[in-house]
């Protein structure tokens, strides 16, 4: 019979990185878990799956629970302390600082300590951590490349993660779900080409579709579809002006699955065809 009960540990797992510099650990703490302070030369991201407690980073102490994330920069002493009767289960991502040497500002751009808790952002990070676990277990010639690329992607997401309620949220800032919606919209602004359906979008932040549409319109003043298509068309306009790429290629890059849908959206928002838009700006 398959044993689905995770193995428990009462000591912190060894953080020995492979030669390519990325390691992912899954740690399930036992009732007597203890950890001494550690200092290391890699970036550590601790993602709490369940349980509660505190994460100590240098002189700071952060209270953590499910879906909380803590970033530990190289050279900072750190340890995890579980709450009584609530042992922590967590993912631990380790990325060696040498992988960031191409940019002298890369490490300093990362936030230190506890990240703001947002369901949508946490889900995105958790999916990528699980992907890393899968890749690490494959032990194939492609494992190093896959793990490095995904590890750096996670750090990139973390470094760009910001919370700002000040933009257009005066009347909504206290409503449940607004933090998650703001995080989703910020992600959408740079990943509009990945958007699929409103059902997938509402599911990603864990709210019903009706509530999602209300929150989205309250924050942006637009419907989800109109907002997404405006982002796509705006990007298409830039490509039409600055490149000679085929219109079919531009439509695909912007996230339109069908060329006819791209033409309809473009004409609706710019009142001309993509070809006419390109010709007018070439004159």
């Amino acid at each position: 019979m398959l044993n689905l009960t995770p193995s428990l540990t009462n000591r912190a797992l060894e953080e020995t990185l492979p030669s390519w510099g990325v390691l992912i650990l899954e740690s399930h703490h036992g009732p007597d878990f203890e950890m001494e302070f550690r200092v290391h030369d890699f970036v550590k991201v601790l993602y709490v799956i369940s349980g509660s407690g505190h994460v100590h980073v240098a002189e700071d102490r952060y209270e953590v629970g499910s879906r909380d994330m803590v970033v530990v920069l190289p050279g900072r002493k750190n340890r995890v302390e579980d709450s009584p009767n609530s042992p922590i289960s967590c993912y631990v991502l380790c990325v060696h600082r040498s992988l960031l040497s191409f940019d002298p500002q890369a490490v300093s751009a990362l936030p230190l300590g506890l990240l703001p808790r947002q369901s949508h952002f946490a889900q995105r990070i958790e999916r990528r951590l699980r992907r890393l676990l899968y890749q690490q277990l494959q032990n194939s010639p492609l494992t190093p490349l896959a793990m490095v690329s995904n590890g750096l992607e996670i750090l990139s997401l973390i470094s760009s993660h910001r919370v700002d309620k000040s933009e257009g949220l005066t009347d909504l800032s206290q409503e449940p779900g607004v933090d998650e919606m703001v995080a989703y919209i910020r992600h959408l602004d740079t990943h509009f080409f990945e958007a699929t359906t409103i059902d997938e979008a509402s599911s990603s932040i864990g709210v019903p579709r009706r509530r999602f549409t209300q929150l989205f319109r309250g924050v942006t003043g637009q419907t989800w579809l109109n907002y997404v298509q405006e982002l796509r068309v705006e990007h298409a306009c830039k490509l039409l002006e600055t490149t000679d790429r085929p219109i079919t290629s531009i439509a695909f890059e912007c996230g339109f699955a069908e060329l006819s849908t791209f033409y309809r959206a473009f004409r609706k928002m710019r009142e001309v065809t993509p070809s006419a838009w390109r010709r007018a700006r070439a004159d």
Side-chain angles (χ1 to χ4, degrees), residues 181-239:
M181 179 58 72
V182 171
Y184 169 77
I185 292 170
R186 289 190 179 280
H187 177 68
L188 185 62
D189 285 344
T190 54
H191 293 76
F192 52 85
F193 44 84
E194 295 178 352
T196 53
T197 67
I198 193 171
D199 289 322
E200 188 276 337
S202 62
S203 176
S204 73
I205 66 170
V207 300
R209 175 175 172 146
R210 183 186 295 273
R211 178 61 177 155
F212 179 90
T213 58
Q214 292 172 341
L215 281 173
F216 194 94
R217 185 182 286 275
V219 174
T220 66
Q222 301 183 56
T223 66
W224 178 84
L225 181 60
N226 191 77
Y227 189 88
V228 170
Q229 290 196 337
E230 179 60 41
L231 290 172
R232 290 172 171 173
V233 168
E234 181 180 356
H235 186 59
C237 288
K238 294 177 182 177
L239 295 176

Side-chain angles (χ1 to χ4, degrees), residues 126-246:
E126 184 172 330
R127 286 196 297 267
R128 286 162 173 81
L129 292 172
R130 288 176 175 170
R131 184 191 305 162
L132 272 170
L133 278 171
Y134 173 80
Q135 292 166 340
Q136 186 167 260
L137 290 172
Q138 298 313 296
N139 194 27
S140 78
L142 297 178
T143 294
L145 177 60
M147 292 194 67
V148 169
S149 62
N150 281 285
L152 291 179
E153 181 187 16
I154 290 173
L155 294 189
S156 176
L157 288 172
I158 289 173
S159 67
S160 62
H161 181 51
R162 298 290 184 271
V163 178
D164 185 356
K165 297 183 181 179
S166 63
E167 298 180 14
L169 297 175
T170 304
D171 298 328
L172 292 171
S173 59
Q174 302 303 314
E175 291 193 21
V178 170
D179 285 355
E180 288 76 12
M181 179 58 72
V182 171
Y184 169 77
I185 292 170
R186 289 190 179 280
H187 177 68
L188 185 62
D189 285 344
T190 54
H191 293 76
F192 52 85
F193 44 84
E194 295 178 352
T196 53
T197 67
I198 193 171
D199 289 322
E200 188 276 337
S202 62
S203 176
S204 73
I205 66 170
V207 300
R209 175 175 172 146
R210 183 186 295 273
R211 178 61 177 155
F212 179 90
T213 58
Q214 292 172 341
L215 281 173
F216 194 94
R217 185 182 286 275
V219 174
T220 66
Q222 301 183 56
T223 66
W224 178 84
L225 181 60
N226 191 77
Y227 189 88
V228 170
Q229 290 196 337
E230 179 60 41
L231 290 172
R232 290 172 171 173
V233 168
E234 181 180 356
H235 186 59
C237 288
K238 294 177 182 177
L239 295 176
L240 289 166
E241 292 178 31
T242 59
T243 75
D244 59 357
R245 292 171 54 190

Side-chain angles (χ1 to χ4, degrees), residues 7-15 27-36 38 44 46 52-56 78-90 92:
S7 299
L8 302 182
T9 178
N10 287 323
R11 303 292 298 174
L13 300 179
E14 291 298 324
E15 299 163 330
S27 181
H28 301 277
H29 298 177
D32 299 318
F33 178 84
E34 292 184 359
M35 177 179 177
E36 298 179 350
R38 291 180 172 180
K44 177 193 288 186
L46 186 143
S52 63
H54 294 86
V55 177
H56 300 256
N78 63 94
R79 74 181 184 95
V80 177
E81 176 189 7
D82 291 356
S83 296
N85 304 316
S86 186
I88 286 175
S89 290
C90 61
V92 181

